[in-house]
Amino acid sequence: MERALLDELEQWRSHGVEGHFRGKMPWMPYHQFLSEQTAHIAGAKPEEVVVMNTLTTNLHLMMVSFYRPQGSRFKIIMEAGAFPSDQYAVESQVRYHGLDPATAIVEIAPRAGEDTLRTEDIVRRIEEEGPSTALVMFGGVNYYTGQFFDLPAIVEAGHRAGALVGFDLAHAAGNLPLQLHDWGADFAVWCSYKYLNSGPGGPGGVFVHERHGANPDLPRFAGWWGYDEGSRFLMQKGFRPMQGAAGWQLSNAQIFSFAAHKVSLDLFMEAGMKNLREKSLKLTAYLEFIIADLNSRGHHYKIITPNDPAQRGCQLSLQTGPDGKKLFDHLTQHGFICDWREPDVIRLAPVPMYNRFEEVWELGRCVIKEIKTAYGKINIDLPQAVERFATDSVEHEKSLSLW
Ligand SMILES: *Cc1c(COP(=O)(O)O)cnc(C)c1O
């Protein structure tokens, strides 16, 4: 990644503004150098995706085109407890159209006593709202619970209701294999600095299904970089969009953050989402096993993430009880980068790209140490079963071809 950034500095030093046209990767068409890999991540055709801006900006741009309330069809259906930025974006879009968020936003919450949503409840709610729904706007993976929603079922229900369907895939892109084209989603947005490892403030990704990308009359907020490439520099009046998702670009690419993103995308391409998912299923199952084992020794970390592997990526959210923050600090001090969410949740995400089975095992050990310190009277030792499983898995890891 450092090399890629230095290359761009060198390009700038040697060519100045001519870097737009010269060198291995001229800046002018730079976004195209990321299309194939981005399409792989999204399960899309290369023309259906583009890298630009950042997530929330892109969500607004997509909603300008795809949230077009008309008469009695004006509602947006979303999951309750969506990431705050999505809530604010949706709320402000609703107000922008002169509507009241209290009536225009429908939030679907888990049943009483449950932590996650049932697909049947999502589908039923969309059916109930039916003709009043303009847009179904769901997360792919809920950032808090780690639940991966049944996206094709949501697309189907939304379309049956006559609505458009868009997704925020911030926690799904690079975490789970996606098939946005085949699922028929209308649009999707995601960021590149979570599972896609592209560094702070990295650029966002956008998917627009080809049935919309081919429609130049679709209303949008336009900029010169979305203008038809062949005649962009004639600088004429009257916006003529590029075909595909590229027609939503506003500005020329931020080369340094795009360069970092490209390095990461190339790694995903090389590893392949299918292989990563295969390892991820095992790695997260192993973490689940370690936690279950801790619980069987008298502890009570509740995993609020669904235990059905099809309904989650690599993240497990642990409800820790009152001593959770101490445990979190202990883990952080020992080099485990996890995430604390108020009031008592630790998010753990063994990432298949770079985490190893052994590290999950070490995390288990680290938790035990903390428990021993905190509750010295309880004698807990890493049980043999855990050791055995760990050894097996390490061996298994070695046998995976590349990953
Ligand atoms: C991280 C995240 C965001 C933040 O997006 P930025 O605009 O890139 O800061 C928005 N939505 C979700 C679901 C996220 O997880």
mmCIF file of all heavy atoms in Angstrom, residues 364-380:
data_model
loop_
_atom_site.group_PDB
_atom_site.id
_atom_site.type_symbol
_atom_site.label_atom_id
_atom_site.label_comp_id
_atom_site.label_asym_id
_atom_site.label_seq_id
_atom_site.Cartn_x
_atom_site.Cartn_y
_atom_site.Cartn_z
ATOM 1 N N GLY A 364 -9.423 -16.630 23.396
ATOM 2 C CA GLY A 364 -10.060 -17.424 24.446
ATOM 3 C C GLY A 364 -9.210 -17.448 25.706
ATOM 4 O O GLY A 364 -9.679 -17.236 26.821
ATOM 5 N N ARG A 365 -7.921 -17.665 25.527
ATOM 6 C CA ARG A 365 -6.981 -17.675 26.670
ATOM 7 C C ARG A 365 -6.979 -16.343 27.391
ATOM 8 O O ARG A 365 -6.939 -16.283 28.614
ATOM 9 C CB ARG A 365 -5.560 -17.943 26.160
ATOM 10 C CG ARG A 365 -5.238 -19.375 25.963
ATOM 11 C CD ARG A 365 -3.781 -19.486 25.568
ATOM 12 N NE ARG A 365 -2.940 -19.719 26.742
ATOM 13 C CZ ARG A 365 -2.542 -20.942 27.119
ATOM 14 N NH1 ARG A 365 -2.900 -21.985 26.431
ATOM 15 N NH2 ARG A 365 -1.798 -21.097 28.176
ATOM 16 N N CYS A 366 -6.992 -15.286 26.592
ATOM 17 C CA CYS A 366 -6.921 -13.939 27.142
ATOM 18 C C CYS A 366 -8.179 -13.647 27.978
ATOM 19 O O CYS A 366 -8.101 -13.045 29.041
ATOM 20 C CB CYS A 366 -6.789 -12.947 25.994
ATOM 21 S SG CYS A 366 -6.371 -11.291 26.513
ATOM 22 N N VAL A 367 -9.322 -14.117 27.493
ATOM 23 C CA VAL A 367 -10.566 -13.925 28.250
ATOM 24 C C VAL A 367 -10.472 -14.675 29.570
ATOM 25 O O VAL A 367 -10.827 -14.157 30.625
ATOM 26 C CB VAL A 367 -11.794 -14.408 27.432
ATOM 27 C CG1 VAL A 367 -13.053 -14.354 28.285
ATOM 28 C CG2 VAL A 367 -11.968 -13.562 26.182
ATOM 29 N N ILE A 368 -9.958 -15.876 29.516
ATOM 30 C CA ILE A 368 -9.840 -16.682 30.735
ATOM 31 C C ILE A 368 -8.959 -15.980 31.771
ATOM 32 O O ILE A 368 -9.268 -15.934 32.957
ATOM 33 C CB ILE A 368 -9.278 -18.083 30.401
ATOM 34 C CG1 ILE A 368 -10.390 -18.916 29.770
ATOM 35 C CG2 ILE A 368 -8.727 -18.765 31.637
ATOM 36 C CD1 ILE A 368 -9.947 -20.250 29.268
ATOM 37 N N LYS A 369 -7.857 -15.404 31.301
ATOM 38 C CA LYS A 369 -6.960 -14.666 32.206
ATOM 39 C C LYS A 369 -7.716 -13.569 32.925
ATOM 40 O O LYS A 369 -7.576 -13.388 34.130
ATOM 41 C CB LYS A 369 -5.823 -14.044 31.397
ATOM 42 C CG LYS A 369 -4.564 -14.838 31.420
ATOM 43 C CD LYS A 369 -3.385 -13.914 31.070
ATOM 44 C CE LYS A 369 -2.140 -14.713 30.790
ATOM 45 N NZ LYS A 369 -1.389 -14.166 29.660
ATOM 46 N N GLU A 370 -8.495 -12.842 32.162
ATOM 47 C CA GLU A 370 -9.242 -11.726 32.743
ATOM 48 C C GLU A 370 -10.251 -12.246 33.758
ATOM 49 O O GLU A 370 -10.417 -11.687 34.838
ATOM 50 C CB GLU A 370 -9.928 -10.920 31.637
ATOM 51 C CG GLU A 370 -11.028 -9.963 32.099
ATOM 52 C CD GLU A 370 -10.519 -8.828 32.996
ATOM 53 O OE1 GLU A 370 -9.297 -8.675 33.126
ATOM 54 O OE2 GLU A 370 -11.362 -8.116 33.574
ATOM 55 N N ILE A 371 -10.909 -13.352 33.408
ATOM 56 C CA ILE A 371 -11.894 -13.916 34.328
ATOM 57 C C ILE A 371 -11.197 -14.334 35.628
ATOM 58 O O ILE A 371 -11.684 -14.092 36.720
ATOM 59 C CB ILE A 371 -12.604 -15.141 33.697
ATOM 60 C CG1 ILE A 371 -13.447 -14.688 32.513
ATOM 61 C CG2 ILE A 371 -13.479 -15.842 34.713
ATOM 62 C CD1 ILE A 371 -13.984 -15.832 31.686
ATOM 63 N N LYS A 372 -10.021 -14.909 35.473
ATOM 64 C CA LYS A 372 -9.273 -15.354 36.659
ATOM 65 C C LYS A 372 -8.906 -14.176 37.547
ATOM 66 O O LYS A 372 -9.002 -14.242 38.758
ATOM 67 C CB LYS A 372 -7.999 -16.083 36.237
ATOM 68 C CG LYS A 372 -8.226 -17.551 35.968
ATOM 69 C CD LYS A 372 -6.885 -18.203 35.675
ATOM 70 C CE LYS A 372 -6.999 -19.707 35.699
ATOM 71 N NZ LYS A 372 -5.757 -20.331 35.190
ATOM 72 N N THR A 373 -8.464 -13.076 36.880
ATOM 73 C CA THR A 373 -8.090 -11.894 37.652
ATOM 74 C C THR A 373 -9.313 -11.319 38.357
ATOM 75 O O THR A 373 -9.263 -10.962 39.525
ATOM 76 C CB THR A 373 -7.512 -10.807 36.711
ATOM 77 O OG1 THR A 373 -6.683 -11.457 35.771
ATOM 78 C CG2 THR A 373 -6.717 -9.784 37.483
ATOM 79 N N ALA A 374 -10.398 -11.252 37.608
ATOM 80 C CA ALA A 374 -11.598 -10.612 38.149
ATOM 81 C C ALA A 374 -12.276 -11.481 39.203
ATOM 82 O O ALA A 374 -12.793 -10.987 40.193
ATOM 83 C CB ALA A 374 -12.565 -10.281 37.016
ATOM 84 N N TYR A 375 -12.275 -12.789 38.973
ATOM 85 C CA TYR A 375 -12.996 -13.694 39.880
ATOM 86 C C TYR A 375 -12.046 -14.807 40.309
ATOM 87 O O TYR A 375 -12.283 -15.968 40.033
ATOM 88 C CB TYR A 375 -14.190 -14.349 39.179
ATOM 89 C CG TYR A 375 -15.088 -13.405 38.445
ATOM 90 C CD1 TYR A 375 -14.888 -13.146 37.086
ATOM 91 C CD2 TYR A 375 -16.155 -12.792 39.094
ATOM 92 C CE1 TYR A 375 -15.721 -12.281 36.410
ATOM 93 C CE2 TYR A 375 -16.977 -11.920 38.421
ATOM 94 C CZ TYR A 375 -16.761 -11.669 37.079
ATOM 95 O OH TYR A 375 -17.575 -10.817 36.409
ATOM 96 N N GLY A 376 -10.960 -14.404 40.980
ATOM 97 C CA GLY A 376 -9.897 -15.353 41.316
ATOM 98 C C GLY A 376 -10.390 -16.659 41.913
ATOM 99 O O GLY A 376 -9.803 -17.700 41.705
ATOM 100 N N LYS A 377 -11.524 -16.583 42.602
ATOM 101 C CA LYS A 377 -12.001 -17.787 43.294
ATOM 102 C C LYS A 377 -12.464 -18.876 42.317
ATOM 103 O O LYS A 377 -12.488 -20.041 42.659
ATOM 104 C CB LYS A 377 -13.126 -17.427 44.268
ATOM 105 C CG LYS A 377 -14.296 -16.696 43.633
ATOM 106 C CD LYS A 377 -15.226 -16.190 44.742
ATOM 107 C CE LYS A 377 -16.493 -15.571 44.229
ATOM 108 N NZ LYS A 377 -16.337 -14.513 43.232
ATOM 109 N N ILE A 378 -12.830 -18.471 41.130
ATOM 110 C CA ILE A 378 -13.286 -19.480 40.173
ATOM 111 C C ILE A 378 -12.077 -20.046 39.443
ATOM 112 O O ILE A 378 -11.277 -19.307 38.877
ATOM 113 C CB ILE A 378 -14.266 -18.889 39.140
ATOM 114 C CG1 ILE A 378 -15.463 -18.267 39.857
ATOM 115 C CG2 ILE A 378 -14.733 -19.965 38.163
ATOM 116 C CD1 ILE A 378 -16.440 -17.615 38.904
ATOM 117 N N ASN A 379 -11.956 -21.341 39.482
ATOM 118 C CA ASN A 379 -10.799 -21.949 38.863
ATOM 119 C C ASN A 379 -11.137 -22.412 37.444
ATOM 120 O O ASN A 379 -11.765 -23.442 37.251
ATOM 121 C CB ASN A 379 -10.327 -23.121 39.726
ATOM 122 C CG ASN A 379 -9.029 -23.674 39.174
ATOM 123 O OD1 ASN A 379 -8.349 -22.982 38.414
ATOM 124 N ND2 ASN A 379 -8.714 -24.888 39.564
ATOM 125 N N ILE A 380 -10.706 -21.627 36.525
ATOM 126 C CA ILE A 380 -11.004 -21.976 35.139
ATOM 127 C C ILE A 380 -9.698 -22.214 34.392
ATOM 128 O O ILE A 380 -8.779 -21.411 34.466
ATOM 129 C CB ILE A 380 -11.762 -20.839 34.432
ATOM 130 C CG1 ILE A 380 -13.085 -20.585 35.140
ATOM 131 C CG2 ILE A 380 -12.019 -21.183 32.978
ATOM 132 C CD1 ILE A 380 -13.814 -19.391 34.598
#
